């Protein structure tokens, strides 16, 4: 059994900021323009590895504005131009790709219940780069046990 779950987002109404940009159509803080995610899982149903499952997935985020140069009252922070306008300072993060993995095993536990042991590994590439004001969390893992009665 294979499961593929694609997703793509292009937010037209980012809700991560209450500030209104001073320039019409300018992006709000901290919202990537494009975001996509995927997950694929393969369950082994025959042979000696019956009950095993392998999964792989990830998320992509395009660059995002993390410093808009807009103060709380809606005024801009930036550099004056020759025409006496203000060019708002903006800072963008790099785009990023985060990859995750899964290994699981499903089995009967003493004919009492079904059990599942899973190891999830997050951020396989161990990305700890700075994105805006926040560092990526680095690689982590979670071991879990589930029982179905």
């Amino acid at each position: 059994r294979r499961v593929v779950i694609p997703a793509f987002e292009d937010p037209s109404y980012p809700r991560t900021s209450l500030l209104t940009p001073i320039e019409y159509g300018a992006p709000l803080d901290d919202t990537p323009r494009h975001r996509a995610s995927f997950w694929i899982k393969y369950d082994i149903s025959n042979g000696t590895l019956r009950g095993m499952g392998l999964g792989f997935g990830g998320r992509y985020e395009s660059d995002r504005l993390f410093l808009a140069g807009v103060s709380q009252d809606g005024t801009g922070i930036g550099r004056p131009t020759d025409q006496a306008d203000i060019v708002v300072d903006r800072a963008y993060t790099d785009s990023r790709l985060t990859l995750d993995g899964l290994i699981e095993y499903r089995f009967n536990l003493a004919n009492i219940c079904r059990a599942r042991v899973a190891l999830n590994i997050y951020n396989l590439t161990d990305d700890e780069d700075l994105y805006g004001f926040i560092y990526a969390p680095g690689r982590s893992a979670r071991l879990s046990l589930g029982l179905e009665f």
Side-chain angles (χ1 to χ4, degrees):
R1 186 180 95 163
R2 292 177 223 49
V3 179
V4 177
I5 304 171
F8 181 77
E9 298 175 18
D10 184 3
S12 59
Y13 180 69
R15 297 178 213 161
T16 60
S17 175
L18 298 177
L19 298 176
T20 303
I22 63 170
E23 296 176 291
Y24 179 76
L28 297 174
D29 291 350
D30 208 19
T31 302
R33 182 171 178 83
H34 301 288
R35 184 174 154 163
S37 62
F38 72 96
W39 182 257
I40 186 167
K41 183 176 173 228
Y42 182 75
D43 292 324
I44 301 171
S45 56
N46 297 320
T48 57
L49 297 178
R50 181 178 178 207
M52 289 287 292
L54 303 171
F56 178 75
R59 294 167 304 286
Y60 167 80
E61 287 184 357
S62 63
D63 60 344
R64 60 185 166 81
L65 180 68
F66 74 92
L67 180 61
V70 178
S71 65
Q72 284 287 48
D73 63 2
T75 58
I77 303 166
R79 303 172 306 282
T81 66
D82 294 339
Q83 292 81 25
D85 294 328
I86 296 287
V87 175
V88 176
D89 288 335
R90 292 190 180 132
Y92 290 86
T93 65
D94 292 332
S95 60
R96 74 180 188 181
L97 176 66
T98 305
L99 301 173
D100 303 323
L102 162 74
I103 300 171
E104 72 174 3
Y105 182 62
R106 294 177 182 268
F107 58 97
N108 286 322
L109 186 62
N111 291 327
I112 298 173
C113 64
R114 295 270 307 146
R116 175 185 180 258
V117 176
L119 175 64
N120 293 78
I121 302 173
Y122 306 101
N123 194 357
L124 291 169
T125 59
D126 198 22
D127 177 11
E128 294 180 337
D129 290 346
L130 182 64
Y131 294 94
F133 298 116
I134 301 171
Y135 285 94
R139 185 180 305 125
S140 63
R142 179 178 65 189
L143 181 64
S144 60
L145 170 66
L147 303 174
E148 294 178 23
F149 292 94

